[in-house]
Amino acid sequence: MSLLDVRVPAVLLRIDRNPFHHGTLGAVRSLGRAGVEVHVVADSSASPVRNSRFVCQMHPPPPPAASPAEIAGTLRRVAARIARPAVLIPMDDASAVAVGRLSEELAPSYLLPQQPGALPERVADKAELAAVCASADIPHPVTLIPESPAQAASAAWQLGLPVVAKWSRPWLVPAGTGLRSTVVVRSAQEARELFLRADEAGSRLLLQAFLPSGPDRDWFFHGYADRSGAVRGGGAGRKQRAWPRGAGLTAVGRWTPNPQVQSLAERLTTELGYRGIFDLDFRRCGTTGSYHLLDFNPRPGAQFRLFADSAGLDVVRALHLDLTHRPLPDGSPRPGRSFVVENYAPLSALRPAMAGRELAWYAPDDRAPGRAMWGLWGLHVLRKVREQLGRTAAPARPTEARVVRQAGASPLEEPAEPAELTKPTELTDDEKASRC
């Protein structure tokens, strides 16, 4: 008998158009292996996820820059096709914020954690997060919010260059503008110029004190806060390699118990009354040794499968079990286990792992997504090489701020256009029907 209630399907929602989002594949496999019918609402034109044998059906996503009404309409159409209540799991910040806003409207068709609908938006907003940390006495980099270009330049000097610049609501940054959710700026003039693009970015500019990266500095905590507020299904992990190097998403991570990080995570979620899946990013200060919270992502982190315990429990399964009123098993942690994203750390994927390892794309029982990923990745790398050669041949442009992404952000400098990627093999109608 399955651990999960297989009568209740799951719907994964992802508004971000990044085809290399391996966290979505992890959720598909985790639930599908337990016998749950999995529906994915995401861009399918170039996604290796659509090739997974554990996907029941792919559904068209909301249009780019969709309004809440358009997102609700998309989810209502999916609910009508499924024709019974389903567990809804947002897989990116934009989805989590939208679902939080629409929670009352979606409740008849979808099972969701019971919490204030504005809370996901509050913690995902970088400006609000700074205030939340101050209120809960959680270490957080000193953050200033300039109100003018002159204040932006002054704040950069006040914090001490270099400084980290963030848009408070990164999910609103439009594609194709050249704007990045997070950058390191090295001059007051760069801070001034970024402030002038706030209208284009769709949210306020924040300037934060820069905490240098280094060995044993970058940590994350994944968990699921159940109906009682207890944190289950996750743990603390150390980022061993990042893409881009130094401050990007986790390319190699290791399950490493850290009582300080766990205590901060549990204290913060309790203080907020948070319910649901969360992914926190921390950086340890080399001077004080304190762990500063950098990001609070109100959804699964891409490497959540790192924390599958001896009972097979992870945050996605914990959510499904809790919302269907099934008991969560008491498994044993598996510290030392590693998670590797092959396209960002191919050599690490080939090395032996004594304590166990999970790969983001390859799985012996679900090989097709890994094959599709490598085909798409080859085309992506080729396109980037051509762009770099074109920039080298073009006249020199003014120096831009160096890109630095936090864990969980999109690894692509620009999401690849579906037209430039080879479309994965189409499934026949019979094959699609057999998955459900």
Side-chain angles (χ1 to χ4, degrees), residues 68-122:
E70 290 173 315
I71 296 170
T74 296
L75 290 173
R76 281 196 298 269
R77 286 191 291 273
V78 173
R81 295 198 63 173
I82 297 174
R84 61 193 188 278
V87 172
L88 178 59
I89 309 176
M91 295 303 301
D92 58 17
D93 288 347
S95 301
V97 169
V99 169
R101 291 177 179 176
L102 299 166
S103 57
E104 291 186 7
E105 182 177 347
L106 297 173
S109 301
Y110 294 102
L111 305 181
L112 296 166
Q114 297 301 306
Q115 67 178 351
L119 189 52
E121 186 169 3
R122 184 183 175 201

Side-chain angles (χ1 to χ4, degrees), residues 122 132 135-138 265-274:
R122 184 183 175 201
V132 165
S135 175
D137 195 26
I138 301 292
E266 292 177 346
R267 179 152 60 88
L268 181 58
T269 53
T270 299
E271 179 85 10
L272 292 170
Y274 187 87

